[in-house]
């Protein structure tokens, strides 16, 4: 490598070069995993065209949420009818995606789903100034239970991806590391949540930090 920076020591450059080799190997591993993900066989067909309600009170369905796309990502937003406010971490995640949704929507459909009421969803959209993120309520369905966005302990931040082909909607992928037997935080949304990747570039790292979005 020809890259150097002012006043760096030989020890620094040697350590940094070793780290670069590891970063390149990680990049290759990330792509290998993505290739495995893309090669998944067809998942299970959805048992019903779930009837949701948009934040402005309109009825919609899973099939309608696809729009003109063949792929739909549904993020389970931890926000239940009895909650005074939604999950701060989920809210931070959607804060970051709000500006990206127009670009994401050039390729796939993306919506966030919870059991909160349309009034609650409208209030959080206005408070967070989410002009692009679409929120829908699944309160009248068992969608969250069937697709692991809710357990006996409450709502969970699961990402589910669905594929529509020849008029049939099938489940494609979910962020199942959330439910895996892991030590520490599952980091199941790191792929889509840049805040952690930025912090991992710094001497402080991510530590036990979680964004404080309400205070």
């Amino acid at each position: 490598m020809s890259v150097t920076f002012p006043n760096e020591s030989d020890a620094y450059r040697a350590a940094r070069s070793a780290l670069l080799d590891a970063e390149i190997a990680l990049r290759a591993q990330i792509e290998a995993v993505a290739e495995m993900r893309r090669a998944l066989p067809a998942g299970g067909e959805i048992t019903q065209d779930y009837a949701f309600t948009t934040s402005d009170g309109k009825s919609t369905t899973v099939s309608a949420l696809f729009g003109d796309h063949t792929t739909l990502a549904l993020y389970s937003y931890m926000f239940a009818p009895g909650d005074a406010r939604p999950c701060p971490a989920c809210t931070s995640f959607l804060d970051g995606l709000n500006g990206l949704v127009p670009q994401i929507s050039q390729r796939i459909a993306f919506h966030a789903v919870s059991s909160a009421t349309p009034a609650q969803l409208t209030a959080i959209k206005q408070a967070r100034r989410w002009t692009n993120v679409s929120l829908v309520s699944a309160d009248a369905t068992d969608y969250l239970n069937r697709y692991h966005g809710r357990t006996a302990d409450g709502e969970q931040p699961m990402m589910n991806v669905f594929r529509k082909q020849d008029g049939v909607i099938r489940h494609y992928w979910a962020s199942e590391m959330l439910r895996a037997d892991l030590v520490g935080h599952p980091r199941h949304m790191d792929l889509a949540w840049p805040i952690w990747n930025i912090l991992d570039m710094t001497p402080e790292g991510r530590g036990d930090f979680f964004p404080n979005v309400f205070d």
Side-chain angles (χ1 to χ4, degrees), residues 15-34:
R16 181 63 186 94
S17 294
L19 173 60
L20 179 60
D21 289 341
E23 290 171 341
I24 292 170
L26 177 60
R27 176 184 179 273
Q29 177 65 10
I30 289 172
E31 178 51 36
V33 171

mmCIF file of all heavy atoms in Angstrom, residues 15-34:
data_model
loop_
_atom_site.group_PDB
_atom_site.id
_atom_site.type_symbol
_atom_site.label_atom_id
_atom_site.label_comp_id
_atom_site.label_asym_id
_atom_site.label_seq_id
_atom_site.Cartn_x
_atom_site.Cartn_y
_atom_site.Cartn_z
ATOM 1 N N ALA A 15 0.690 -1.906 11.847
ATOM 2 C CA ALA A 15 -0.571 -2.320 12.462
ATOM 3 C C ALA A 15 -1.758 -1.965 11.570
ATOM 4 O O ALA A 15 -2.714 -2.744 11.431
ATOM 5 C CB ALA A 15 -0.722 -1.671 13.837
ATOM 6 N N ARG A 16 -1.683 -0.787 10.959
ATOM 7 C CA ARG A 16 -2.783 -0.365 10.091
ATOM 8 C C ARG A 16 -2.870 -1.242 8.845
ATOM 9 O O ARG A 16 -3.974 -1.567 8.366
ATOM 10 C CB ARG A 16 -2.608 1.108 9.679
ATOM 11 C CG ARG A 16 -3.729 1.641 8.785
ATOM 12 C CD ARG A 16 -5.061 1.614 9.519
ATOM 13 N NE ARG A 16 -6.179 1.975 8.659
ATOM 14 C CZ ARG A 16 -6.930 1.087 7.998
ATOM 15 N NH1 ARG A 16 -6.688 -0.206 8.117
ATOM 16 N NH2 ARG A 16 -7.942 1.493 7.242
ATOM 17 N N SER A 17 -1.745 -1.649 8.304
ATOM 18 C CA SER A 17 -1.742 -2.523 7.137
ATOM 19 C C SER A 17 -2.328 -3.889 7.474
ATOM 20 O O SER A 17 -3.063 -4.486 6.671
ATOM 21 C CB SER A 17 -0.325 -2.666 6.584
ATOM 22 O OG SER A 17 0.146 -1.426 6.077
ATOM 23 N N ALA A 18 -2.009 -4.389 8.677
ATOM 24 C CA ALA A 18 -2.594 -5.653 9.111
ATOM 25 C C ALA A 18 -4.110 -5.518 9.272
ATOM 26 O O ALA A 18 -4.878 -6.422 8.904
ATOM 27 C CB ALA A 18 -1.956 -6.102 10.421
ATOM 28 N N LEU A 19 -4.538 -4.383 9.821
ATOM 29 C CA LEU A 19 -5.970 -4.134 9.954
ATOM 30 C C LEU A 19 -6.634 -4.038 8.585
ATOM 31 O O LEU A 19 -7.748 -4.540 8.391
ATOM 32 C CB LEU A 19 -6.198 -2.843 10.745
ATOM 33 C CG LEU A 19 -7.640 -2.335 10.847
ATOM 34 C CD1 LEU A 19 -8.534 -3.374 11.518
ATOM 35 C CD2 LEU A 19 -7.689 -1.009 11.610
ATOM 36 N N LEU A 20 -5.949 -3.404 7.640
ATOM 37 C CA LEU A 20 -6.504 -3.291 6.291
ATOM 38 C C LEU A 20 -6.728 -4.662 5.679
ATOM 39 O O LEU A 20 -7.760 -4.912 5.026
ATOM 40 C CB LEU A 20 -5.579 -2.455 5.409
ATOM 41 C CG LEU A 20 -6.019 -2.270 3.956
ATOM 42 C CD1 LEU A 20 -7.373 -1.576 3.885
ATOM 43 C CD2 LEU A 20 -4.970 -1.488 3.175
ATOM 44 N N ASP A 21 -5.788 -5.565 5.874
ATOM 45 C CA ASP A 21 -5.964 -6.932 5.375
ATOM 46 C C ASP A 21 -7.224 -7.556 5.976
ATOM 47 O O ASP A 21 -7.989 -8.242 5.282
ATOM 48 C CB ASP A 21 -4.747 -7.791 5.718
ATOM 49 C CG ASP A 21 -3.515 -7.425 4.902
ATOM 50 O OD1 ASP A 21 -3.670 -6.781 3.838
ATOM 51 O OD2 ASP A 21 -2.396 -7.777 5.331
ATOM 52 N N ALA A 22 -7.438 -7.325 7.280
ATOM 53 C CA ALA A 22 -8.625 -7.862 7.942
ATOM 54 C C ALA A 22 -9.893 -7.207 7.405
ATOM 55 O O ALA A 22 -10.930 -7.873 7.234
ATOM 56 C CB ALA A 22 -8.517 -7.664 9.454
ATOM 57 N N GLU A 23 -9.846 -5.895 7.130
ATOM 58 C CA GLU A 23 -11.000 -5.194 6.580
ATOM 59 C C GLU A 23 -11.347 -5.706 5.188
ATOM 60 O O GLU A 23 -12.535 -5.848 4.841
ATOM 61 C CB GLU A 23 -10.717 -3.690 6.541
ATOM 62 C CG GLU A 23 -10.664 -3.046 7.921
ATOM 63 C CD GLU A 23 -10.177 -1.603 7.885
ATOM 64 O OE1 GLU A 23 -9.538 -1.196 6.885
ATOM 65 O OE2 GLU A 23 -10.429 -0.880 8.864
ATOM 66 N N ILE A 24 -10.325 -5.987 4.388
ATOM 67 C CA ILE A 24 -10.567 -6.521 3.045
ATOM 68 C C ILE A 24 -11.179 -7.917 3.137
ATOM 69 O O ILE A 24 -12.102 -8.258 2.384
ATOM 70 C CB ILE A 24 -9.249 -6.531 2.245
ATOM 71 C CG1 ILE A 24 -8.806 -5.090 1.944
ATOM 72 C CG2 ILE A 24 -9.412 -7.311 0.937
ATOM 73 C CD1 ILE A 24 -7.412 -4.975 1.364
ATOM 74 N N ALA A 25 -10.682 -8.723 4.084
ATOM 75 C CA ALA A 25 -11.251 -10.060 4.277
ATOM 76 C C ALA A 25 -12.706 -9.973 4.739
ATOM 77 O O ALA A 25 -13.559 -10.754 4.301
ATOM 78 C CB ALA A 25 -10.410 -10.848 5.286
ATOM 79 N N LEU A 26 -12.987 -9.002 5.614
ATOM 80 C CA LEU A 26 -14.360 -8.809 6.085
ATOM 81 C C LEU A 26 -15.266 -8.395 4.932
ATOM 82 O O LEU A 26 -16.403 -8.864 4.827
ATOM 83 C CB LEU A 26 -14.389 -7.761 7.198
ATOM 84 C CG LEU A 26 -15.774 -7.393 7.735
ATOM 85 C CD1 LEU A 26 -16.480 -8.615 8.318
ATOM 86 C CD2 LEU A 26 -15.661 -6.283 8.771
ATOM 87 N N ARG A 27 -14.789 -7.515 4.085
ATOM 88 C CA ARG A 27 -15.563 -7.096 2.910
ATOM 89 C C ARG A 27 -15.930 -8.305 2.056
ATOM 90 O O ARG A 27 -17.073 -8.446 1.594
ATOM 91 C CB ARG A 27 -14.761 -6.082 2.102
ATOM 92 C CG ARG A 27 -15.415 -5.646 0.795
ATOM 93 C CD ARG A 27 -14.487 -4.704 0.033
ATOM 94 N NE ARG A 27 -15.063 -4.280 -1.228
ATOM 95 C CZ ARG A 27 -14.951 -4.937 -2.369
ATOM 96 N NH1 ARG A 27 -14.288 -6.096 -2.403
ATOM 97 N NH2 ARG A 27 -15.504 -4.476 -3.474
ATOM 98 N N ALA A 28 -14.959 -9.186 1.830
ATOM 99 C CA ALA A 28 -15.223 -10.388 1.045
ATOM 100 C C ALA A 28 -16.241 -11.285 1.739
ATOM 101 O O ALA A 28 -17.114 -11.880 1.090
ATOM 102 C CB ALA A 28 -13.919 -11.148 0.799
ATOM 103 N N GLN A 29 -16.152 -11.384 3.074
ATOM 104 C CA GLN A 29 -17.101 -12.208 3.822
ATOM 105 C C GLN A 29 -18.501 -11.620 3.767
ATOM 106 O O GLN A 29 -19.494 -12.356 3.631
ATOM 107 C CB GLN A 29 -16.640 -12.350 5.275
ATOM 108 C CG GLN A 29 -17.582 -13.131 6.172
ATOM 109 C CD GLN A 29 -17.721 -14.593 5.797
ATOM 110 O OE1 GLN A 29 -16.978 -15.099 4.960
ATOM 111 N NE2 GLN A 29 -18.681 -15.280 6.404
ATOM 112 N N ILE A 30 -18.603 -10.296 3.875
ATOM 113 C CA ILE A 30 -19.913 -9.640 3.783
ATOM 114 C C ILE A 30 -20.554 -9.930 2.435
ATOM 115 O O ILE A 30 -21.752 -10.231 2.338
ATOM 116 C CB ILE A 30 -19.770 -8.121 4.009
ATOM 117 C CG1 ILE A 30 -19.438 -7.844 5.477
ATOM 118 C CG2 ILE A 30 -21.046 -7.380 3.603
ATOM 119 C CD1 ILE A 30 -19.079 -6.398 5.761
ATOM 120 N N GLU A 31 -19.775 -9.864 1.356
ATOM 121 C CA GLU A 31 -20.321 -10.143 0.033
ATOM 122 C C GLU A 31 -20.682 -11.615 -0.113
ATOM 123 O O GLU A 31 -21.695 -11.952 -0.738
ATOM 124 C CB GLU A 31 -19.332 -9.737 -1.053
ATOM 125 C CG GLU A 31 -19.793 -10.032 -2.468
ATOM 126 C CD GLU A 31 -21.195 -9.521 -2.787
ATOM 127 O OE1 GLU A 31 -21.571 -8.438 -2.282
ATOM 128 O OE2 GLU A 31 -21.918 -10.209 -3.536
ATOM 129 N N ALA A 32 -19.884 -12.493 0.485
ATOM 130 C CA ALA A 32 -20.199 -13.919 0.420
ATOM 131 C C ALA A 32 -21.525 -14.214 1.127
ATOM 132 O O ALA A 32 -22.339 -15.001 0.642
ATOM 133 C CB ALA A 32 -19.070 -14.739 1.042
ATOM 134 N N VAL A 33 -21.741 -13.566 2.278
ATOM 135 C CA VAL A 33 -23.004 -13.740 3.006
ATOM 136 C C VAL A 33 -24.162 -13.161 2.200
ATOM 137 O O VAL A 33 -25.245 -13.756 2.126
ATOM 138 C CB VAL A 33 -22.917 -13.085 4.400
ATOM 139 C CG1 VAL A 33 -24.282 -13.060 5.078
ATOM 140 C CG2 VAL A 33 -21.915 -13.832 5.277
ATOM 141 N N ALA A 34 -23.954 -12.000 1.572
ATOM 142 C CA ALA A 34 -25.001 -11.399 0.748
ATOM 143 C C ALA A 34 -25.360 -12.310 -0.428
ATOM 144 O O ALA A 34 -26.529 -12.418 -0.816
ATOM 145 C CB ALA A 34 -24.552 -10.037 0.242
#
